[in-house]
Amino acid sequence: MRRIVGIVLAVLLIGGVVAAVVAGRDNGDQSTATKTVHGVVGSEKAEFFADPDVVKALAAKGYTVRTETSGSWAMEGLDLKGYDFAFPSSQAPADELAAKYKARQPLPRPFYSPLVVVAHRNAAEVLAANGLATLDKGQHRGTLKMAAYVKAAGDDRTWQQLKGADKYGELTGTLYIASTDPESSSSGALYLAATSYVANGGRVVASDADIDRTAPLMHKLISVQGAQQPSSDAAFRDFVSGAGNPLVLVYESQVASLLGDDSGQQSAGDLTVLYPDTTANSDHTVVPLTEEGRALGELLSDDPVLRKLAVRHGFRPQGDAAEFVAATAADAAYLNQKLTGVRQAPVPTSEVLREMARRARSQS
């Protein structure tokens, strides 16, 4: 009898140990397991999602995020079945995607970034000498006078017509700002939004008459560039490497990320950052295609660690300008932290922007 009882107790004991181990594994899985969510994002956010610290912060909240990149306006043409979210670089393409996939409003908007023009020092000095820009002390930062620039572009001004440009062999040909394809890329479309606002007398383009009035200039701004980059990420990399046009439209976030890079792999060199006095902000907007995608968008908006990491990648978190100002204090010589003297141009509706982009590319 004692023997039988001993065997039973031994079995129960072993069973208890196994149960405890299984329970421990289950608990461990719950604390470290992640939901894998898939999304398509604008190229300028690729480094953010690839950052090991971002990956770690997301995993701590239970997420593994897999992303692919696309031009913001090109996302509408993608088959997003099986994806959890789309993350274009501005609100207009996000609204179109939300309507197409019946995404519930409001859409999470974790962070934003204004458009800026990066220039090599020589180009910035020539613009300033000819009344097209002003430079702050130190000449790492300045303001692009959009009305003067738009008039110069409309008049087909060349660098050779600007005093002082003859000293620099690289400043030749038509004066223009290199931008991305407005039919596929958000930054290119926002460039049209800002320049058309100026060309339309400080009024947002909202009608067929407005489109007709501004279309010739928009076509001139785009056609002079020839082949355009599909993404601002590629355009900025070319500029940093010394290739391409001396004036390039990019997001401030790309500049701030470069300046904050302590790896020593990239240098600001002779970079001058020109803030257009009339610009358009890029509101990075999450379009949730599933509830997991919405939860991720809200997490990016609200989690303090992820907000801090977004600032490290140059983005301005929504709702608290102080976060960006504090984090970029060391780079204030390059960055207009409080956007002083910068006017935000209203962005036309998606329908108007698409027609503007089409006309700018084809003039028909």
Side-chain angles (χ1 to χ4, degrees):
M1 189 61 156
R2 287 180 186 169
R3 195 176 197 182
I4 293 172
V5 171
I7 292 171
V8 171
L9 289 173
V11 170
L12 290 173
L13 179 61
I14 292 170
V17 171
V18 171
V21 170
V22 171
R25 286 178 180 169
D26 288 343
N27 289 337
D29 285 346
Q30 288 174 2
S31 63
T32 60
T34 58
K35 303 182 190 75
T36 299
V37 294
H38 295 83
V40 58
V41 305
S43 62
E44 69 292 326
K45 292 183 285 290
E47 288 188 5
F48 171 76
F49 282 106
D51 184 336
D53 289 335
V54 173
V55 172
K56 182 179 178 181
L58 288 168
K61 295 296 183 178
Y63 289 92
T64 297
V65 180
R66 307 289 185 212
T67 62
E68 300 169 20
T69 61
S70 167
S72 294
W73 284 101
M75 290 180 187
E76 190 186 6
L78 301 177
D79 180 4
L80 297 182
K81 183 178 180 180
Y83 287 80
D84 295 289
F85 69 98
F87 202 173
S89 304
S90 61
Q91 191 169 352
D95 287 341
E96 287 213 350
L97 286 167
K100 180 177 179 179
Y101 291 96
K102 298 179 173 57
R104 174 168 52 88
Q105 298 284 349
L107 304 178
R109 290 187 297 148
F111 37 74
Y112 69 99
S113 184
L115 290 173
V116 299
V117 174
V118 289
H120 295 297
R121 181 67 55 79
N122 294 340
E125 290 176 349
V126 170
L127 292 179
N130 288 269
L132 297 169
T134 59
L135 296 180
D136 297 344
K137 186 177 180 180
Q139 299 190 324
H140 295 306
R141 184 186 75 195
T143 301
L144 179 68
K145 297 182 177 180
M146 283 291 280
Y149 166 71
V150 166
K151 184 179 187 308
D155 293 340
D156 299 315
R157 295 283 292 279
T158 64
W159 283 104
Q160 291 94 318
Q161 292 173 325
L162 301 182
K163 63 182 180 182
D166 57 335
K167 294 186 294 183
Y168 309 110
E170 71 276 15
L171 299 181
T172 60
T174 304
L175 171 69
Y176 70 90
I177 296 169
S179 61
T180 56
D181 182 351
E183 290 192 292
S184 63
S185 170
S186 180
S187 59
L190 291 176
Y191 177 53
L192 295 185
T195 52
S196 66
Y197 179 79
V198 174
N200 201 37
R203 294 180 294 112
V204 65
V205 172
S207 66
D208 290 342
D210 290 340
I211 295 174
D212 290 341
R213 187 180 306 111
T214 57
L217 176 60
M218 298 303 103
H219 177 68
K220 187 172 288 189
L221 293 174
I222 300 303
S223 63
V224 71
Q225 301 183 42
Q228 292 177 288
Q229 291 281 16
S231 73
S232 59
D233 184 53
F236 187 58
R237 284 200 309 269
D238 283 350
F239 176 85
V240 171
S241 70
N245 198 55
L247 303 174
V248 181
L249 185 84
V250 299
Y251 294 116
E252 179 197 57
S253 59
Q254 293 166 300
V255 178
S257 179
L258 170 70
L259 296 172
D261 182 6
D262 297 325
S263 66
Q265 296 179 352
Q266 298 186 95
S267 168
D270 67 346
L271 170 72
T272 301
V273 186
L274 299 176
Y275 284 76
D277 56 17
T278 301
T279 190
N281 281 350
S282 168
D283 287 311
H284 295 266
T285 306
V286 176
V287 181
L289 305 176
T290 65
E291 286 306 311
E292 288 79 8
R294 177 170 293 278
L296 174 66
E298 292 172 351
L299 183 66
L300 292 171
S301 301
D302 300 333
D303 183 75
V305 174
L306 287 166
R307 286 173 67 92
K308 185 176 181 179
L309 289 169
V311 173
R312 192 168 80 183
H313 283 268
F315 300 109
R316 293 174 178 255
Q318 297 282 2
D320 190 353
E323 288 181 80
F324 182 84
V325 171
T328 59
D331 302 313
Y334 291 89
L335 302 175
N336 185 345
Q337 294 174 297
K338 297 182 179 180
L339 299 179
T340 303
V342 175
R343 182 178 186 179
Q344 169 71 17
V347 177
T349 65
S350 298
E351 181 180 359
V352 169
L353 261 184
R354 280 197 176 279
E355 180 60 15
M356 287 174 61
R358 187 190 70 78
R359 295 275 294 273
R361 295 280 291 174
S362 65
Q363 201 183 25
S364 62

